Amino acid sequence: MALWHFSLLFLFSCSLGVQSARFTLQNNCQNTIWAGTLSGSGKPFLMNGGLELNSNEGVPVDAPAAWSGRFWGRTKCTFDASGKGSCATGDCGGVLQCNGAGGAPPVSLAEFTLDSPVDFYDVSLVDGYNLPISITPSVNNCIEVKCTSGLNQICPKELQLESNGVVIGCKSACLAFNKPEYCCSGEYNNPNICKPTNYSQVFKTACPKAYSYPYDDATSTFTCKGADYTITFC
Ligand SMILES: *[C@@H]1O[C@H](CO)[C@@H](O)[C@H](O)[C@H]1NC(C)=O
């Protein structure tokens, strides 16, 4: 009896004190995309890591309290009945359900750390860009992060990922040139030394609220409390 009472009280206080969140993955692109998700270390997988989203389809995905992880969109995928195949961008090792694998860059990311003690969220172009992506919190005074300008169309030639003459992704300078000043690695692994570059500025100009290089925190991280989030592709 006492134990039962305690459990009930425990459940009750959990539901009051710690929030879970609902993500809605919304595909506003003209084509089918395949959403991918990767959870932070020790956090449960959502939707087994990936699912197909038809044009104009929205799918709710519930995350437990204190979940962290990322979402991205994969383009031009083909999978067989067992869920094996490949995608032109964002591929996670050739499987529909990413189950712990990240998306191959260049890929635009929506990143979350929930209940820490507030929710932190951002759009990141640190791994480059493949699709327009936005985060819309359900709470009114929380900031919407939109990255909807067509970066593939204004991508510098040396960063373009092409397929059949069409630009399908825009690489980060780090990915394209693998230099410490672009990757903020080695002697540049320091926010006072690693600064925006002419390449990161292309991303920042197109998407001012998104991360354009690894130490872009000041203008790219947002917080909210008690919200659900819509992640919109295109
Ligand atoms: C960026 O600067 C480098 C030299 O520092 C130059 O070669 C390159 O063309 C510039 N790219 C853009 C997109 O401005």
Side-chain angles (χ1 to χ4, degrees):
M1 178 65 182
L3 184 62
W4 177 85
H5 198 124
F6 177 79
S7 309
L8 199 68
L9 199 74
F10 181 72
L11 282 175
F12 184 59
S13 50
C14 283
S15 64
L16 275 184
V18 182
Q19 226 119 21
S20 55
R22 167 165 288 194
F23 295 106
T24 301
L25 304 178
Q26 176 69 39
N27 178 12
N28 285 355
C29 305
Q30 283 173 2
N31 299 314
T32 302
I33 60 152
W34 289 259
T37 183
L38 173 64
S39 302
S41 112
K43 305 299 180 189
F45 289 143
L46 306 183
M47 56 187 205
N48 294 316
L51 54 74
E52 181 174 330
L53 275 176
N54 293 317
S55 179
N56 293 317
E57 186 181 7
V59 171
V61 180
D62 287 322
W67 185 81
S68 65
R70 55 173 61 172
F71 299 92
W72 68 95
R74 293 171 281 170
T75 57
K76 294 187 170 38
C77 304
T78 50
F79 294 111
D80 65 18
S82 70
K84 293 205 174 71
S86 66
C87 304
T89 66
D91 194 45
C92 61
V95 287
L96 171 61
Q97 301 190 322
C98 297
N99 269 321
V107 67
S108 334
L109 302 172
E111 304 182 305
F112 294 87
T113 301
L114 303 180
D115 308 309
S116 186
V118 297
D119 300 344
F120 288 80
Y121 59 98
D122 63 78
V123 166
S124 174
L125 307 179
V126 171
D127 287 335
Y129 171 98
N130 67 331
L131 277 177
I133 191 168
S134 304
I135 300 173
T136 311
S138 63
V139 172
N140 266 340
N141 56 359
C142 295
I143 290 171
E144 179 178 52
V145 183
K146 282 178 98 113
C147 180
T148 51
S149 55
L151 249 160
N152 288 340
Q153 281 74 56
I154 58 163
C155 184
K157 183 95 190 130
E158 55 273 41
L159 302 183
Q160 293 176 357
L161 175 68
E162 273 192 47
S163 169
N164 301 323
V166 177
V167 179
I168 57 170
C170 189
K171 296 174 201 170
S172 64
C174 172
L175 182 65
F177 309 121
N178 193 24
K179 289 198 177 147
E181 59 264 42
Y182 296 129
C183 302
C184 298
S185 56
E187 73 217 66
Y188 285 84
N189 186 6
N190 178 328
N192 297 320
I193 296 172
C194 199
K195 296 293 180 191
T197 64
N198 59 348
Y199 290 110
S200 74
Q201 276 159 0
V202 173
F203 291 87
K204 199 65 181 174
T205 303
C207 294
K209 289 185 180 137
Y211 270 85
S212 62
Y213 75 107
Y215 290 121
D216 204 5
D217 309 80
T219 54
S220 318
T221 294
F222 300 92
T223 60
C224 190
K225 197 168 169 58
D228 294 322
Y229 299 89
T230 301
I231 298 151
T232 306
F233 300 101
C234 297

